């Protein structure tokens, strides 16, 4: 309950911060378009006696007016009639420029090589902010990726961290103060300062934790230190504004420190990604880290070489190169999105196809929710004025509880409308998994698997590998494989899913270049040309009765789609769930086949034994411990003129004469075989037969007595012949 409450609070706070960031970014863009900051194209620095021109941009108003690097600005005024106050701070010049305004002329008093130039006329122009629009595009890419990650995989590892990084990056690249420094401009200014301090730390933190659990524990001590430099920079900015003299020299030093901090953390993150890439063993993780590392280097290298280093050493570069380095920062979110789309970083995919869908759905849901809350609050306020604040809060909570099912229903309909194909095949596979239990024939089940999955997932190749022994598999069914596959001795030793640290599936990006496998395994993988191998596991009893262990009884291999695309993470999650159903169905089919085989063997043995009994020219019957007849052969049918169906399950005394039953009761509890020679046996009305009778115990495998066997050998004809012979 507490975790659920924390999750809801986190979601509300993130929603509020995101909404505020988007609104502020929109107002900031509107204000930037409305208010144009005048500039002369000269970089001025505070010095003794005035302001020194450090750099004059080519083609700028300052260059056209004749201002040169090294000139000393003693004063600036709107017209020649105004007084010329001494210029000791850049802030004074900035205020004077704002007073003059864009497209107007400002008059400078310059000192050059000891010569005073009393009236240098400079026509002010608007500040070039075109680069800001490029950064805002980068900000939108960051926000789009982050929103989809958050909405699509809220519970994925580090999803909240990744979204915070994207949200802070959105603020960093979309908030640009205009220079008017009103209340809103100050909010934008300090938001940019905080984002500039937080974004590199979040990025380095993400690089440290984007690895396996062992590395995360090892890097946990470094995580706390990543945020310390940013906190120091923010503290210095506050001290500079509140306590220190607001000089351009101080602002320049602080900007240099912030730029150096940003470049250093970017380089550290790139190094961490590269180290993790070199150490990664899983193919999927290597592909993720490969693209992330490349994108980080493509973004960081130009920024470091063309922006950070020249700015730190005060070496001016052409403005075009600086803008190019800024635009190169777009490679960072683009490569992250490529890793998300193709290699499913943090279990997220289909970002471009469904990101807009979920954003619009969420916006609509939020609007409907607040409308319902407002209506409920108004009803409570109007109808129940005595309820007060507690009544309004109760109405809001009840509305939120009733709104949750509506939200799920709307999102389900959005899934159906905008992703119909994926929704249909997911439903088809779920229905197929539920119906697998109806298959009792193993061959029919295998045929259904290799027939249904390719048609649903549109994959070119599929194979089912059954396990005959732990770690040993054979190809039992396939689709799309070459006809000569059965002649190849497949080495599938890499499919070892019964190890404690085994993964949920094996992914091979390029089966033709699986260099981490042995040569024989590489040959087998190249022949199969499959990219995914999923285990079908079932629970088996462990060493103790209460223990249950998972055992892999089959492996499903799949190739790419017909168009060459990889399967998405949703496909893999669904297939991993389906593999459990398939494993149970295969186990049941095997057990059913084994049972059928045993039943057939039992029937064969039973028939064989009955044939032996029927072939003996002696009457044989068996009785159970309750003295009911369980077996009655054809000789007994002839001897007593009683069909087998009428004799079975009848009490012994209802079929045999009294004298034989008495003898049976007398010897049945005695060990050994008891024989009665030339016993007079009444087999019918006025019919007496002479027979040798043997009574023996019927013993089971565990040496328990489960009944008696009675053998009756009719010797009537033999006795008559002996009498006739004696008379002769």
């Amino acid at each position: 309950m507490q975790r659920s409450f924390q999750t809801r609070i986190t979601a509300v706070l993130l929603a509020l911060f995101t909404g505020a960031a988007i609104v502020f970014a929109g107002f900031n863009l509107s204000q930037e378009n409305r208010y144009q900051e005048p500039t002369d194209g000269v970089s001025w620095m505070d010095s003794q006696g005035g302001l020194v021109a450090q750099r004059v941009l080519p083609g700028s108003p300052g260059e056209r007016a004749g201002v040169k690097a090294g000139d000393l600005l003693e004063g600036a005024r709107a017209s020649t009639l105004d007084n010329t106050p001494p210029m000791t701070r850049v802030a004074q010049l900035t205020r004077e420029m704002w007073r003059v305004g864009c497209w107007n002329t400002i008059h400078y008093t310059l000192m050059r090589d000891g010569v005073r130039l009393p009236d240098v006329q400079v026509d002010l122009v608007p500040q070039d902010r075109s680069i800001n629009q490029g950064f805002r595009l980068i900000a939108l890419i960051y926000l789009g990726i982050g929103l989809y990650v958050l909405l699509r995989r809220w519970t994925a590892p580090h999803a909240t961290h990744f979204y915070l990084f994207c949200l802070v990056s959105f603020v960093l690249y979309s908030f640009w103060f205009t220079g008017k420094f009103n209340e809103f401009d100050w909010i934008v200014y300090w938001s940019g300062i905080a984002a500039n301090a937080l974004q590199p730390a979040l990025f380095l933190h993400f690089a440290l934790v984007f690895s396996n659990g062992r590395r995360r524990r090892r890097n946990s001590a470094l995580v706390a230190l990543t945020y310390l430099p940013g906190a120091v920079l923010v503290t210095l900015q506050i001290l500079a504004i509140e306590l220190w003299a607001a000089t351009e020299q101080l602002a320049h030093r602080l900007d240099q420190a912030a730029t150096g901090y940003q470049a250093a953390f970017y380089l550290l993150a790139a190094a961490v990604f590269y180290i993790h890439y070199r150490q990664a063993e899983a193919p999927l993780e290597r592909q993720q880290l490969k693209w992330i590392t490349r994108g980080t280097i493509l973004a960081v290298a130009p920024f470091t070489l063309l922006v950070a280093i020249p700015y730190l050493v005060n070496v001016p570069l052409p403005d075009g190169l600086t803008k190019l380095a800024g635009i190169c920062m777009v490679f960072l979110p683009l490569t992250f999105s490529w890793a998300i789309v193709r290699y499913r970083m943090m279990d997220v995919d289909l970002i471009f196809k469904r990101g807009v869908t979920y954003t619009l759905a969420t916006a609509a849901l939020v609007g409907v929710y607040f409308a319902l809350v407002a209506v409920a609050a108004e009803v409570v306020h109007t109808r129940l004025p005595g309820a007060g604040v507690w009544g309004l809060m109760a109405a809001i909570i009840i509305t939120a509880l009733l709104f949750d099912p509506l939200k799920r229903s709307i999102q389900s309909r959005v899934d159906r409308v905008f992703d119909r194909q994926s929704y249909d095949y997911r439903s088809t596979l779920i229905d197929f998994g539920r119906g697998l239990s109806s298959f009792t024939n193993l061959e029919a089940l295998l045929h259904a698997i290799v027939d249904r999955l390719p048609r649903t997932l549109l994959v070119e190749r599929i194979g089912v590998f059954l396990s005959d022994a732990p770690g040993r598999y054979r190809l039992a069914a396939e689709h799309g494989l070459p006809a000569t596959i059965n002649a190849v001795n497949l080495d599938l030793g890499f499919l070892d899913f019964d190890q404690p640290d085994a993964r949920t599936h094996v992914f091979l990006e390029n089966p033709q270049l699986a260099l981490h496998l042995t040569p024989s395994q590489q040959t087998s993988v190249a022949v199969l040309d499959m990219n995914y191998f999923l285990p079908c596991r079932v629970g088996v009893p462990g060493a103790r009765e209460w223990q249950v262990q998972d055992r892999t009884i089959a492996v499903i291999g799949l190739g790419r789609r017909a168009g060459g695309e990889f399967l998405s993470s949703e496909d893999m999650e669904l297939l991993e769930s389906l593999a459990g159903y398939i494993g149970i169905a295969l186990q049941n089919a095997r057990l059913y086949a084994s049972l059928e085989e045993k039943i057939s063997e039992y029937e064969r043995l039973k028939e064989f034994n009955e044939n032996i009994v029927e072939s003996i020219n002696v009457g044989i019957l068996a009785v159970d411990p309750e003295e009911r007849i369980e077996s009655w052969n054809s000789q007994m049918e002839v001897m007593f003129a009683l069909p087998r169906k009428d004799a079975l399950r009848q009490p012994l005394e209802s079929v045999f004469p009294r004298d034989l039953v008495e003898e049976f009761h007398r010897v049945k509890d005695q060990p050994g075989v008891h024989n009665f020679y030339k016993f007079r046996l009444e087999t019918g009305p006025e019919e007496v037969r002479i027979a040798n009778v043997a009574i023996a115990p019927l013993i089971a495998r565990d040496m328990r007595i489960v009944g008696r066997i009675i053998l009756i050998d009719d010797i009537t004809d033999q006795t008559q012949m002996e009498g006739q012979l004696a008379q002769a």
Side-chain angles (χ1 to χ4, degrees):
M1 185 68 181
Q2 182 179 3
R3 183 177 180 85
S4 176
F5 178 75
Q6 292 176 351
T7 301
R8 291 179 180 272
I9 291 298
T10 303
V12 170
L13 291 177
L14 288 178
L16 291 176
F17 283 128
T18 303
I22 294 174
V23 171
F24 274 59
F27 283 144
N28 179 228
L29 176 61
S30 175
Q31 189 181 61
E32 186 179 271
N33 292 332
R34 190 181 305 116
Y35 300 106
Q36 296 178 338
E37 180 181 2
T39 181
D40 58 2
V42 182
S43 297
W44 300 98
M45 187 63 63
D46 307 284
S47 68
Q48 293 292 335
L51 306 180
V52 176
Q54 284 195 334
R55 183 188 177 194
V56 181
L57 295 179
S60 64
E63 185 190 47
R64 291 195 296 269
V67 180
K68 297 181 180 180
D71 288 351
L72 181 67
L73 177 63
E74 294 181 340
R77 58 197 185 280
S79 68
T80 56
L81 300 178
D82 294 340
N83 295 326
T84 307
M87 288 292 167
T88 58
R89 295 286 186 268
V90 174
Q92 292 177 280
L93 177 61
T94 302
R95 285 193 294 269
E96 191 66 23
M97 286 183 180
W98 275 101
R99 193 170 71 87
V100 173
C102 295
W103 312 114
N104 294 316
T105 302
I106 188 171
H107 300 266
Y108 287 166
T109 300
L110 299 177
M111 180 69 71
R112 180 185 301 163
D113 298 332
V115 178
R116 178 175 282 104
L117 305 178
D119 187 20
V120 177
Q121 301 179 12
V122 180
D123 297 326
L124 300 179
V125 297
Q127 182 77 34
D128 183 14
R129 293 168 174 164
S130 58
I131 189 64
N132 293 356
Q133 311 310 322
F135 282 120
R136 286 190 172 96
L137 175 61
I138 298 174
L140 290 176
I141 295 174
Y142 269 116
L143 185 63
I145 295 174
L147 279 174
Y148 184 74
V149 169
L150 189 67
L151 297 175
R152 191 68 185 90
R153 287 292 185 273
W154 170 264
T155 58
H158 313 300
T160 306
H161 181 181
F162 181 74
Y163 178 72
L164 284 175
F165 167 70
C166 293
L167 180 60
V168 171
S169 300
F170 172 78
V171 173
L172 177 63
Y173 293 119
S174 62
F175 281 29
W176 300 95
F177 64 91
T178 60
K180 290 181 67 66
F181 288 115
N182 52 16
E183 291 184 1
F184 178 77
D185 216 29
W186 275 113
I187 294 176
V188 171
Y189 175 79
W190 284 113
S191 298
I193 293 295
N196 188 62
L198 190 58
Q199 194 246 17
L202 284 171
F203 187 54
L204 181 57
H205 183 183
F206 181 78
L208 291 173
V209 299
F210 185 69
S211 56
N212 57 37
R214 177 173 56 84
R215 290 200 207 103
R216 283 200 299 270
R217 290 191 295 269
R218 189 175 63 194
N219 294 333
S220 59
L222 299 176
V223 169
L225 298 177
T226 58
Y227 296 93
L228 183 59
V232 172
L233 285 176
V234 174
T235 303
L236 291 176
Q237 290 283 352
I238 296 175
L239 293 176
I241 297 295
E242 299 295 334
L243 301 178
W244 299 338
T247 65
E248 187 67 19
Q249 187 74 22
L250 176 60
H252 180 67
R253 296 303 182 196
L254 290 176
D255 289 344
Q256 283 182 320
T259 303
Y261 155 74
Q262 192 174 18
F265 269 50
Y266 281 160
L267 291 174
L268 285 175
V272 171
F273 279 133
Y274 180 75
I275 293 173
H276 288 178
Y277 165 67
R278 298 289 296 179
Q279 295 176 349
E281 297 178 357
L284 181 58
E285 186 181 4
R286 286 185 62 85
Q287 292 301 324
Q288 293 173 349
L289 289 170
K290 179 180 71 175
W291 283 100
I292 293 173
T293 304
R294 289 178 177 178
T296 304
I297 294 175
L298 284 175
V300 169
F303 174 79
T304 304
L305 297 176
L306 301 179
V307 176
I309 294 178
Y311 189 65
L312 291 175
V313 298
N314 294 318
V315 175
L317 289 179
D319 194 50
L321 291 178
T322 304
K323 291 183 178 180
L324 176 62
I327 295 299
C328 285
M329 294 301 293
V330 77
F331 286 113
L332 196 62
L334 286 180
T335 50
F336 269 64
S337 64
W338 175 255
I340 289 172
V341 171
R342 184 169 184 181
Y343 298 107
R344 301 167 301 284
M345 186 185 69
M346 298 175 65
D347 292 332
V348 184
D349 56 5
L350 308 177
I351 181 171
F352 296 111
K353 186 166 86 172
R354 302 180 64 183
V356 176
T357 300
Y358 277 91
T359 302
L360 294 177
T362 302
L365 289 172
V366 169
V368 174
Y369 173 71
F370 282 110
L372 292 176
V373 169
V375 171
E378 182 64 24
V379 169
V380 172
H381 181 72
T382 304
R383 301 294 178 88
L384 301 172
V389 177
W390 293 106
L392 294 177
M393 293 180 62
I396 293 173
I397 294 174
I398 294 173
T399 304
L401 294 176
L402 296 176
F403 185 73
D404 191 58
L406 176 62
K407 178 195 69 174
R408 291 197 298 267
S409 175
I410 293 177
Q411 287 183 344
S412 176
R413 293 181 181 275
V414 167
D415 274 346
R416 296 189 183 190
V417 172
F418 288 90
D419 203 2
R420 185 70 188 181
Q421 180 180 1
S422 177
Y423 182 86
D424 289 342
Y425 87 71
R426 288 201 306 268
S427 302
T428 301
L429 286 182
I430 291 173
D431 294 338
F432 175 62
R434 291 172 178 170
L436 287 174
S437 58
S438 62
F439 288 92
T440 57
N441 183 273
L442 182 61
E443 295 298 328
L445 175 60
L446 293 173
H447 176 74
I449 293 172
V450 300
D451 178 66
R452 182 67 65 86
L453 291 183
R455 289 192 290 110
T456 305
L457 295 173
L458 303 179
V459 294
E460 294 181 328
R461 295 185 171 211
I462 185 172
V464 180
F465 305 89
L466 293 181
S467 173
D468 296 325
R472 297 179 60 185
Y473 300 93
R474 61 177 176 86
L475 182 62
E478 54 82 19
H479 172 81
L481 296 179
T484 59
I485 190 66
N486 293 323
V488 180
N489 185 17
L490 298 175
D491 183 0
L492 304 176
F494 64 96
L495 300 178
D496 194 0
F497 292 104
D498 292 328
Q499 296 297 323
D501 57 345
R503 297 184 296 273
T504 57
H505 67 273
V506 171
F507 171 72
L508 302 175
E509 187 210 357
N510 189 350
Q512 309 300 327
L513 295 175
L515 302 180
H516 63 287
L517 303 179
T518 63
S520 59
Q521 293 173 358
Q522 291 180 20
T523 303
S524 301
V525 168
V527 172
L528 293 172
D529 195 19
M530 294 179 177
N531 303 89
Y532 302 91
F533 295 90
L534 293 93
C536 301
R537 296 189 175 100
V538 294
V540 296
R544 301 179 181 178
E545 294 182 356
W546 53 270
Q547 290 179 334
V548 177
Q549 300 176 350
D550 288 339
R551 181 172 64 88
T552 303
I553 67 167
V555 173
I556 300 177
L558 302 117
R560 299 189 188 188
R561 297 186 187 275
E565 301 90 355
F566 286 105
L567 297 176
S568 67
S569 62
E570 284 185 345
D571 300 333
M572 298 308 301
E573 290 176 1
L574 187 59
L575 285 172
E576 288 173 4
S577 301
L578 184 63
Y581 290 106
I582 293 176
I584 295 173
L586 289 173
Q587 180 79 337
N588 292 339
R590 279 187 162 184
L591 292 175
Y592 189 83
S594 176
L595 181 61
E596 281 190 330
E597 184 179 353
K598 290 182 178 180
I599 292 175
S600 178
E601 182 68 15
Y602 171 78
E603 294 289 345
R604 188 184 66 81
L605 291 176
K606 181 181 177 183
E607 183 180 358
F608 181 74
N609 293 332
E610 289 179 350
N611 290 337
I612 293 176
V613 173
E614 294 294 333
S615 300
I616 297 177
N617 194 23
V618 175
I620 301 176
L621 73 150
V623 295
D624 59 14
E626 286 77 24
E627 299 180 4
R628 294 184 179 275
I629 299 173
E630 292 292 339
S631 177
W632 186 269
N633 72 346
S634 58
Q635 289 297 323
M636 296 298 294
E637 289 181 329
V638 173
M639 190 180 306
F640 285 87
L642 182 66
R644 181 184 288 109
K645 63 183 182 62
D646 296 335
L648 294 179
R649 303 302 300 165
Q650 295 298 320
L652 190 63
E653 57 269 15
S654 67
V655 177
F656 279 6
R658 181 186 303 173
D659 51 354
L660 181 57
V661 173
E662 291 176 353
E663 291 296 333
F664 176 81
H665 288 161
R666 183 175 62 82
V667 301
K668 72 173 185 177
D669 295 329
Q670 299 177 10
V673 179
H674 302 275
N675 296 299
F676 305 97
Y677 296 103
K678 295 185 178 181
F679 190 88
R680 293 177 58 81
L681 187 64
E682 297 180 1
T683 59
E686 300 180 356
E687 182 179 0
V688 178
R689 312 288 294 181
I690 305 299
N692 292 331
V693 180
I695 300 176
L698 182 61
I699 301 175
R701 289 184 178 181
D702 57 358
M703 304 306 295
R704 290 186 303 105
I705 298 177
V706 295
R708 294 291 187 276
I709 294 179
I710 302 176
L711 287 79
I712 302 177
D713 184 10
D714 186 3
I715 59 172
T716 303
D717 295 340
Q718 179 182 350
T719 303
Q720 291 177 354
M721 291 180 62
E722 289 177 352
Q724 294 174 359
L725 181 60
Q727 292 177 359

